[in-house]
Every structure is written in structure tokens, then in C-alpha cells.
Amino acid sequence: MKFPGLLGNDKLQARLRAQKRERGLSHAYLLAGPLGSGKHTLAQLLIAAFLCTNKEEVPCGTCQDCRKVWLHIHPDVKWVKTPSVGEVRGLRKDAYIRPNEGLRKLYVIEGMQKVNLAAQNALLKVLEEGPEYAVFLLLAEDEDGVLETVRSRCETLRLAPVSQEVGEAYLRRRFPDVPPETIAREAGACEGYLGRAVWRLEAAAQAAEPAGARADAFLACLYENNTMGLLKSAVELEGLSREEWSAFLQAAGDRLHKTLREAVHKKDAQFETAQILLYLDIIRVLKAQGEANVGLGHCAGLLHVLCAEVMERGET
Ligand SMILES: [Zn+2]
């Protein structure tokens, strides 16, 4: 099992990897950690790991099931936010209807710490003796808000803050144009819960230059070998207008050129020049196709090719 996009949390990753190998993943997890700690990313990875049909390693990030999971369109995955007791009863009933496509059916409950006692109690039975194909992922910002009886029926996965060093390095790669002192400040202020820093910096970048922000997000996934993120990015890009698309390509090209210059001049550069040249080549092809009025759907298809190339290079 692999965890593209989940930073730090090495022990947790190792534990899940061993569990998957030795006895298979559990049917109920409580994902606990404050806002921005990576609960949603981990939930998505777990769901994809349950549903991915790749024989080698899961989640592969490219099969139909992974795609559907990442786009939130898989019919066997249901997300609910702080459900009422009535909604929990509905969910319980739904759990006894067999999965549509996959072998498993997954329920994600967000904001579990705010679910009232009656609704939490209504969940107990299905957690304990639900159908064998059903999986429950409960997300809580504060574990203390979750009943002991619920907790004892789940395996708890605690998301840990990432170190200042790991956080800062990631934010630098993710937001190359943001001054280092701002990066350091945000890395410190988020206390290791990187999602918070990413949201703040992303909002600022989006407001200042949407195409640049898109390019930064896309390239960060590329550099991190984050196939799941690339997939999401590629699908979002499919929805752009022609002007937005060419602004995105321009911004991505500019950034790659800058990285290339750095790679040539610095011995300890983060990226290999051959790699950057390959990316630049793809951007060039995409630009040429855009000018030749090739449909944007096809261009986004090329981005998928890029995802596949990244995959082959090996994952984090
Ligand atoms: Zn897959």
C-alpha cells in the first residue's frame, strides 16, 4: 500500500502497510486529528486502497476505481457530514444493500466529534455487526467527542503533525514564488498541520494569479509523484476555458524553465534536468495542440499520459 499525497506520518503509513499485508485492512477506522492534519487525504487513500483493482500495489491512482474515488463519483462510497440519528438509521439500512460495482461499500462520516449521542449510539450495531463488505471511516477533529463505545469498535488512526523541516520543504516546492520568510512563517503558524498553511497560501495565490496557482498545484503533484493529485488536477483542467488553459500552460512552462535554470546551475538541485526537459516537452506539445485547435479534452488526455509516466518512474 502506498500513500501519495500524505506527508509525514511515517509510523502510521508503516502500520497500515503491514496490516494490509498481514491480515487485510480493518472494517472500521477512526481518523483523528485537528483541522488540516490530513484526515481527508488519508480517507481518500484508504477508500482507494479498498476499491482499487490493481494487482500489484494499491491505490494505483490510474484505474477506473481510483479515478472514481478521487473524483468523488464512486457509487459505493458515501460521505456524510455530522449525521442526525435519522441519517444514521438511513445509512444503516443502506449498508445492507450490496455494493454496486466493487466488492466493498464505504461510509465516511465527517465531523464525528459533533455527532449527537443518539446518532452515535445508532451507529454502534452496524459498526459491530454490519455486513462484511461494509467499511466505516469516522473522521474526528477531537477524539474526546466520540463515545468510548464507538471508539472501541474502531481502530484509531491518529494523524500527527509534520515537522517544521518537512513542512517547510513541502511548502517551498508547492509555492515556489512565495518569499521564504512567508513560507517559514506559515510553516510555523500551522503547527505541523500543513493543510492549514496550504489553504491560506493557496487562497492568496489564487487571488493574485489563478493560472500561476493552478500551475503550482499541478507541478507540485508532478514533483511529488502524487498520481492521485495529478489525476484530480487533470480533471479540473479539463473544465478550463481555452484562455484559462493557455494561461495555465504558459505559467507551467515559465515555472519549468525557471526550475530548469536552477537545475543546471546548482549542484544540489532538487530535480534532474532530464526530468524537467521531459515535462517541458509535454507542455510544448500541449501548446502546439492548443494553437492547432485540438479539443481540450484531448489535451487533458495528454496530461493523463504524463501521470502514467510519473507512475512508471516509481512512487513515493
Ligand atoms: Zn487503482
Side-chain angles (χ1 to χ4, degrees), residues 48 51-54 57-67 228:
L51 295 171
C52 176
T53 44
N54 192 290
E57 202 178 9
V58 295
C60 73
T62 49
C63 73
Q64 274 296 342
D65 295 281
C66 279
R67 287 189 52 129
M228 290 295 192

Side-chain angles (χ1 to χ4, degrees), residues 79-88 91 108-116 119-120 139 141:
W79 289 75
V80 278
K81 215 171 229 163
T82 325
S84 64
V85 65
E87 285 170 309
V88 171
L91 182 155
V108 189
I109 301 184
E110 297 173 84
M112 191 60 205
Q113 75 283 355
K114 284 185 275 179
V115 174
N116 68 37
Q120 291 204 32
L139 276 50
E141 277 158 38

Side-chain angles (χ1 to χ4, degrees), residues 261-273:
R261 279 197 299 277
E262 285 169 4
V264 171
H265 294 299
K266 272 194 245 159
K267 277 212 170 66
D268 59 343
Q270 294 187 59
F271 309 110
E272 287 174 32
T273 48

Side-chain angles (χ1 to χ4, degrees), residues 225-241:
N225 285 343
N226 178 358
T227 44
M228 290 295 192
L230 277 177
L231 183 60
K232 201 172 149 219
S233 223
V235 174
E236 277 165 10
L237 292 169
E238 272 180 68
L240 295 186
S241 72

